[in-house]
Amino acid sequence: MQFGIFSVGDVTTDPTTGRTPTEGERIKAMVAIAQKAEEVGLDVFATGEHHNPPFVPSSPTTMLGYIAARTERLILSTSTTLITTNDPVKIAEDYAMLQHLADGRVDLMMGRGNTGPVYPWFGQDIREGINLAVENYALLRRLWREDVVDWEGKFRTPLQGFTSTPRPLDGVPPFVWHGSIRSPEIAEQAAYYGDGFFHNHIFWPADHTKRMIELYRTRYAHHGYGTPEQAIVGLGGQVFMRKNSQDAVREFRPYFDNAPVYGHGPSLEDFTEQTPLTVGSPQQVIEKTLSFREYAGDYQRQLFLMDHAGLPLKTVLEQLDLLGEEVVPVLREEFAKNRPADVPDAPTHQSLTAAARKKEAVA
Amino acid sequence: MKLVVISAGLSVPSSTRLLADRLAAAVHGHTPVDVRVVEVRDLAVEIAHQFTSGFPGKALAAAQDAVAEADGLIVVTPVFSASYSGLFKSFFDVLDKDALAGKPVLIAATGGSARHSLVLEHALRPLFAYLRAVVVPTAVYAASEDWGAEGLPERIERAAGELAALMPGTADRRAVDDGVVPFAERLAALGR
């Protein structure tokens, strides 16, 4: 099972000090956080993609390329890559390039983006969101899998005799996850291709996540990729820890109360009861995270949101120490228990390459 | 059959609830119904939280489920600032946008004077038309003076009869499509 972190890349004022980091500081902080993730033994760093303030990561492969050069093991991913407003040709090129630079330590999570104005800024229409995700991804797959592509669709200039360069590393495209909070169409898309499905999970009650995951697993089996239990599932999570749980609650409360998305709404107590958010001791985080399996089944990737709401870099790095030293080792051990042998790990470049070679040998 | 009554009165007792109860009783007189009353006031905080958090609390979720499963609805609001109350509107703002599609709805309102009675036609009817509900022709407005005057019982009776007549047909219309559109069909629809 893979453990990692995902960042929204928000520039948010620290409510306890009133200080707002500069964009430059936030960008460098994200890089420091990614490096720390590798240092403490996590597997994955995923960055969001946004094209509006107060968010900084508009250019994910620039950031991930830089991180790739400064890390050795860490898988670099996205949360999410905007399959609706990006040109699929540019996604094919950018992430194949990143694959080469990172020696295959790359995968992506496709998402639609829910900010209406971003669509027209990139020449699109949010009402076509699902159709854009469907058509653009179908083209992206072909660009990575076919050397020469002739293509015509509804949303983009036709292609005649187009070759996307560089070709994917070892001829094996990056593994793709599809992220969606509430669109069954996207769970079905992930299942149709045998791709992974990631549920953000963190702002919603568990029964909602459960329904989406169940739908994906059922359709994964329907499309013939294996049993429902073998589908590739990822979940988000959100935690704040201190050795003593009262200290965690006291320190995190002002960040929670003023956080973008859910701030000025439900109480910290209600929100931790109703959603996966855990504020407490490392042991509480372990218990809550292990409980995800009760409704999501045995899954492949757990990403935590650690650096939002204006938390200072120093605090985030301390959180990552706790996550890497006290939480994840226990989670690895516990999640491995009773895990059926035929439940696969999340695909990596190594496993996908080996599978491709094996298929070639059989052919 | 299930009849859900949404009452947005704020005082206890409230004339809005009084009108809601009379309407529900009148419907029951036409056709046997299980009545569930949702007092929006009791859900005020959870409604506000759903605006900020994106998901309903337990009591609000239960009310939303009841609406989704209802065969018919009676909705009653006090008139505030020449329209439905903000809290009444908020209940429907956080409801699933398809929850009322095809459902028979009886609209009603209360106010201090008869001068606001067209609020039913100018505010409530368009709202429920937008939500694709089937709004019964007779809407019921009760001003303070109506409680001591002739005419209100007859309007209640007529509106209730119209709602009751529409309710038996809803089971078919309610067949919600939970099925997934197979992905191949979705791709094909884009012309590939």
Side-chain angles (χ1 to χ4, degrees), chain B residues 133-144:
Chain B
V134 179
V135 185
V136 303
T138 301
V140 181
Y141 186 87
S144 299

Side-chain angles (χ1 to χ4, degrees), chain B residues 7-10 14-20 23 75-80 83-85 107-114 116-117 119-120 124 140-144 146-147 152:
Chain B
S7 176
L10 292 177
S14 89
S15 57
T16 298
R17 175 63 186 268
L18 183 62
L19 179 59
L23 287 163
V75 301
V76 194
T77 179
V79 174
F80 277 28
S83 187
Y84 31 64
S85 79
I107 55 176
T110 58
S113 88
H116 286 295
S117 60
V119 77
L120 287 163
L124 273 84
V140 181
Y141 186 87
S144 299
D146 284 316
W147 297 102
L152 182 59

Side-chain angles (χ1 to χ4, degrees), chain A residues 135 152 185 188-189 192-193 203-205 215 261 265-266 273-275, chain B residues 49 52-58 180-184 186-187 190 192:
Chain A
E135 176 173 302
E152 197 178 330
E185 297 92 335
E188 164 69 356
Q189 181 185 32
Y192 177 82
Y193 291 112
F203 302 134
W204 292 77
L215 172 65
V261 183
E273 191 213 311
Q274 291 168 351
T275 78
Chain B
H49 281 172
T52 57
S53 71
F55 62 87
K58 286 196 178 83
V180 176
V181 176
F183 192 78
R186 204 169 278 287
L187 261 182
L190 283 167
R192 215 114 341 93

Side-chain angles (χ1 to χ4, degrees), chain A residues 90-110:
Chain A
K90 200 70 179 94
I91 297 177
E93 294 172 342
D94 284 346
Y95 286 87
M97 174 70 92
L98 182 62
Q99 255 195 325
H100 283 272
L101 291 172
D103 299 314
R105 290 184 285 130
V106 175
D107 58 43
L108 300 78
M109 189 201 304
M110 299 300 167

Side-chain angles (χ1 to χ4, degrees), chain A residues 24-296:
Chain A
E25 286 168 345
R26 185 67 174 103
I27 291 164
K28 289 294 177 74
M30 287 178 76
V31 171
I33 287 164
Q35 286 181 263
K36 183 74 172 181
E38 172 160 294
E39 183 194 317
V40 301
L42 302 181
D43 308 306
V44 183
F45 172 81
T47 176
E49 178 185 335
H50 299 276
H51 300 275
N52 55 319
F55 307 104
V56 291
S58 58
S59 180
T61 53
T62 309
M63 173 176 282
L64 294 178
Y66 182 87
I67 296 170
R70 298 171 82 94
T71 53
E72 287 172 3
R73 288 186 313 97
L74 196 63
I75 294 173
L76 309 169
S77 188
T78 58
S79 56
T80 61
T81 293
L82 302 175
I83 188 63
T84 48
T85 47
N86 282 305
D87 182 355
V89 169
K90 200 70 179 94
I91 297 177
E93 294 172 342
D94 284 346
Y95 286 87
M97 174 70 92
L98 182 62
Q99 255 195 325
H100 283 272
L101 291 172
D103 299 314
R105 290 184 285 130
V106 175
D107 58 43
L108 300 78
M109 189 201 304
M110 299 300 167
R112 300 203 304 284
N114 61 4
T115 309
V118 173
Y119 286 74
W121 288 335
F122 289 85
Q124 302 298 352
D125 178 346
I126 194 169
R127 291 169 298 181
E128 290 283 7
I130 294 278
N131 286 333
L132 282 161
V134 169
E135 176 173 302
N136 286 349
Y137 184 62
L139 172 57
L140 175 60
R141 285 181 63 89
R142 288 192 55 198
L143 292 168
W144 276 336
R145 286 167 174 80
E146 299 171 30
D147 287 341
V148 182
V149 172
D150 291 341
W151 180 88
E152 197 178 330
K154 190 175 166 193
F155 298 111
R156 187 195 189 285
T157 309
L159 298 169
Q160 300 296 337
F162 179 77
T163 298
S164 173
T165 63
R167 303 303 303 145
L169 178 65
D170 304 319
V172 175
F175 184 70
V176 169
W177 302 79
H178 299 264
S180 180
I181 293 175
R182 62 184 126 189
S183 301
E185 297 92 335
I186 299 301
E188 164 69 356
Q189 181 185 32
Y192 177 82
Y193 291 112
D195 292 341
F197 181 72
F198 185 91
H199 198 284
N200 166 295
H201 195 204
I202 56 181
F203 302 134
W204 292 77
D207 62 336
H208 177 88
T209 303
K210 176 174 188 276
R211 284 197 299 273
M212 288 290 285
I213 301 282
E214 272 174 5
L215 172 65
Y216 162 68
R217 287 187 182 281
T218 305
R219 298 300 295 176
Y220 184 91
H222 169 86
H223 289 297
Y225 293 101
T227 65
E229 294 73 26
Q230 290 171 331
I232 308 297
V233 171
L235 291 180
Q238 185 189 8
V239 301
F240 188 88
M241 294 168 280
R242 289 297 178 198
K243 299 263 178 209
N244 179 326
S245 74
Q246 284 86 354
D247 291 341
V249 169
R250 194 179 312 119
E251 186 177 345
F252 190 64
R253 190 182 298 282
Y255 295 95
F256 176 88
D257 286 346
N258 293 289
V261 183
Y262 52 72
H264 309 284
S267 68
L268 176 60
E269 285 71 17
D270 282 350
F271 208 71
T272 45
E273 191 213 311
Q274 291 168 351
T275 78
L277 171 65
T278 315
V279 181
S281 65
Q283 185 55 36
Q284 286 172 297
V285 169
I286 289 165
E287 283 163 19
K288 181 82 164 245
T289 308
L290 288 172
S291 76
F292 298 167
R293 180 160 62 169
E294 289 163 20
Y295 52 86

